[in-house]
Amino acid sequence: MQYDEIMVRYGELSTKGRNQKNFIDRLGANVTKALHGFDQVKIHPQRDRMHIDLNGADSSQVMDRLKQVFGIQTFSPSLRVESDFEAVKQAAAKMIREQVKEPATFKISTRHADHGFPMGTFEMNRELGAYLLKEFPDLLTVDVHHPDIDLMVEIRKSGIYLTSEKIKGAGGLPVGTAGKGMMMLSGGIDSPVAAYLAMKRGVSLEMVHFYSPPYTSEQALAKSKELTSKLAKYCGSIKFIQVPFTEIQETVKEKIPEGYLMTVQRRLMLRLAAALAMKRHGLAIFNGESLGQVASQTMESMVAINDVTTWPVLRPVLSFDKTEIIKIAEEIDTYELSILPYEDCCTVFTPPSPKTKPNLKRARAYEARLDVEGLMQRALENIKVTEIHAGDEFLNQNQDVFAELL
Ligand code: ATP
Ligand code: MG
């Protein structure tokens, strides 16, 4: 069915009191970005709802894009008719004819926003209900408590709107309302899921990715960029910051005892992420750590690593089991990419048995053997920032290698 309007409900937003205006403005901007390319569409963000005037744009394509915008609780594609009961009857009958193929129960719920219209809510429910029952005697019966179809009628100044569907949106809060965070993105399964969950709570992210050529390949870098492009569909575009990590890894390997390689390496990663957060006005650092999953993700390790910064380090998947993380990765379509076998910089330098309970004082002492300032400065001088948009492709450029690995 070709609809005239999509009506958007905010859900959690309506409870945000004084911030409400910021939230709605941001959601309006994010929806505009998500609907880029649909030039005829007009967006009207209002206090209680947002109305998206389709002006002939394909409603199912528009709805596919809306499903990816955080801050939308539900939305309903609607038909618009003139403020006239005859027209309402015709449109309602058309909807039933097109959408109901087997006997079903229904009810009418009317919402009145234009007090100039002569029929009241109760009268509309009753008259329209009676009309539809007469029109479809073998198809429809009334059930006001648990109807199969809830035909919603909204009487507004600009006309009367009818809808029978309430589609679940992405939930969460509009990206950008929580401020900016730096996401430590590897090519693994966990960090893309953590990124998704952070964005869902309104954080706008910049990706920080450490790479170590020639120990890590071009494909490993391309894979992280492609993961970023998958995640960009929730916010339009994401800045991807690649940080050269080769010199640090080689130096750490040379100067630090094997049991503390990983701890010290991670301390440097976090130092760099924190430096970038400060420089680029990020409010927190996000990573994909899950408690107890591997050696570096014990609480003892967190003590020994987190020591390098007072900036908040937030871990959206901390309490998730691997299977729960994988489930989300599949839903957001990052899983298949994440399991491609390109080595990232951690796997290459991971010792066979890193300490699961590193000691903070020792970690500090070993790290002091390094020229931390110099190493960091050289890495930061050579970062490269790319703006990645939803749908950008990076791995296809290496199709041959890609095909071989599959
Ligand atoms: P993931 O699946 O996200 O790679 P993991 O379970 O493999 O996580 P680790 O390899 O120990 O765990 O990494 C823990 C976290 O450290 C990652 O989730 C990510 O946030 C960060 N991290 C690891 N390697 C990199 C990298 N090369 N660049 C940026 N961040 C990284
Ligand atoms: Mg990993």
Side-chain angles (χ1 to χ4, degrees):
M1 185 173 273
Q2 180 50 44
Y3 293 98
D4 301 301
E5 183 196 91
I6 315 283
M7 197 252 283
V8 172
R9 298 178 195 81
Y10 305 143
E12 195 165 340
L13 289 193
S14 26
T15 65
K16 294 287 172 190
R18 278 194 307 157
N19 278 333
Q20 203 183 35
K21 190 176 177 310
N22 292 345
F23 282 68
I24 293 168
D25 288 350
R26 176 67 71 157
L27 184 63
N30 292 355
V31 168
T32 305
K33 228 195 278 179
L35 297 183
H36 177 77
F38 293 96
D39 296 337
Q40 71 273 53
V41 168
K42 292 265 173 312
I43 295 161
H44 307 283
Q46 289 165 6
R47 210 178 51 81
D48 53 344
R49 289 165 175 201
M50 180 186 299
H51 299 289
I52 301 173
D53 215 337
L54 290 168
N55 275 321
D58 184 293
S59 49
S60 60
Q61 286 178 9
V62 168
M63 290 193 285
D64 280 346
R65 299 266 187 98
L66 286 181
K67 280 184 194 147
Q68 294 161 353
V69 180
F70 294 123
I72 295 180
Q73 214 59 28
T74 60
F75 57 87
S76 296
S78 318
L79 287 180
R80 191 194 83 88
V81 297
E82 293 306 315
S83 301
D84 165 45
F85 185 55
E86 255 329 291
V88 173
K89 279 172 21 187
Q90 297 315 317
K94 185 173 164 208
M95 282 176 107
I96 299 293
R97 215 169 284 125
E98 286 194 21
Q99 293 173 3
V100 186
K101 302 293 173 207
E102 288 167 10
T105 58
F106 83 112
K107 79 166 182 180
I108 312 280
S109 323
T110 304
R111 200 169 174 256
H112 219 294
D114 173 19
H115 296 284
F117 191 72
M119 283 171 93
T121 305
F122 180 72
E123 208 182 342
M124 175 63 85
N125 289 347
R126 193 188 51 203
E127 300 281 318
L128 185 60
Y131 166 76
L132 289 175
L133 279 175
K134 221 169 83 198
E135 201 67 10
F136 302 96
D138 303 325
L139 207 54
L140 296 180
T141 44
V142 173
D143 179 348
V144 292
H145 299 296
H146 304 288
D148 301 321
I149 305 153
D150 185 1
L151 184 61
M152 293 167 273
V153 179
E154 198 164 294
I155 303 170
R156 305 209 300 255
K157 279 232 164 1
S158 51
I160 297 181
Y161 294 77
L162 291 98
T163 179
S164 60
E165 280 180 272
K166 211 180 233 186
I167 298 163
K168 207 164 170 284
L173 305 170
V175 173
T177 50
K180 182 157 79 170
M182 312 308 286
M183 177 76 224
M184 296 174 68
L185 186 83
S186 68
I189 297 169
D190 305 331
S191 44
V193 171
Y196 164 81
L197 293 171
M199 288 194 282
K200 188 170 180 197
R201 292 313 295 171
V203 181
S204 95
L205 291 176
E206 289 189 352
M207 303 308 195
V208 178
H209 177 74
F210 301 97
Y211 73 122
S212 303
Y215 306 104
T216 60
S217 63
E218 278 299 309
Q219 289 92 286
L221 183 63
K223 174 182 167 185
S224 297
K225 288 187 175 173
E226 189 125 334
L227 283 165
T228 302
S229 131
K230 290 266 183 208
L231 292 160
K233 69 170 179 261
Y234 300 100
C235 61
S237 67
I238 300 178
K239 289 205 171 73
F240 181 93
I241 306 166
Q242 56 194 73
V243 185
F245 206 59
T246 313
E247 190 197 354
I248 293 178
Q249 283 198 306
E250 285 175 341
T251 315
V252 168
K253 175 118 186 154
E254 186 193 314
K255 302 214 163 132
I256 308 292
E258 191 169 285
Y260 278 80
L261 274 184
M262 195 215 32
T263 308
V264 173
Q265 209 171 265
R266 293 292 159 129
R267 283 171 66 95
L268 279 145
M269 275 191 186
L270 189 56
R271 280 185 189 281
L272 288 164
L276 286 166
M278 270 180 239
K279 219 169 162 167
R280 303 174 66 87
H281 310 290
L283 293 168
I285 296 154
F286 288 79
N287 69 27
E289 288 175 339
S290 158
L291 191 59
Q293 199 185 83
V294 292
S296 60
Q297 299 175 18
T298 61
M299 288 200 284
E300 288 84 354
S301 265
M302 287 179 196
V303 169
I305 295 166
N306 222 148
D307 174 53
V308 300
T309 181
T310 54
W311 234 239
V313 177
L314 306 181
R315 301 172 173 87
V317 299
L318 184 88
S319 63
F320 286 33
D321 292 347
K322 195 76 186 184
T323 49
E324 293 169 320
I325 297 175
I326 288 175
K327 188 162 168 276
I328 301 177
E330 284 170 340
E331 282 162 14
I332 63 173
D333 197 27
T334 53
Y335 183 70
E336 292 297 321
L337 265 175
S338 291
I339 59 175
L340 288 175
Y342 309 128
E343 305 266 304
D344 73 19
C345 66
C346 298
T347 31
V348 180
F349 283 91
T350 302
S353 52
K355 278 225 175 325
T356 53
K357 297 189 175 176
N359 172 284
L360 173 60
K361 282 199 180 122
R362 282 207 197 135
R364 284 179 181 166
Y366 288 136
E367 191 192 60
R369 295 179 181 177
L370 310 175
D371 167 24
V372 172
E373 287 304 313
L375 285 169
M376 281 184 56
Q377 196 190 335
R378 287 188 291 283
L380 290 171
E381 271 166 10
N382 290 297
I383 62 169
K384 191 173 155 205
V385 184
T386 325
E387 176 105 20
I388 295 182
H389 292 87
D392 284 354
E393 291 183 0
F394 298 93
L395 279 167
N396 287 3
Q397 294 157 7
N398 304 305
Q399 221 148 27
D400 293 347
V401 194
F402 193 54
E404 243 171 65
L405 282 161
L406 291 174

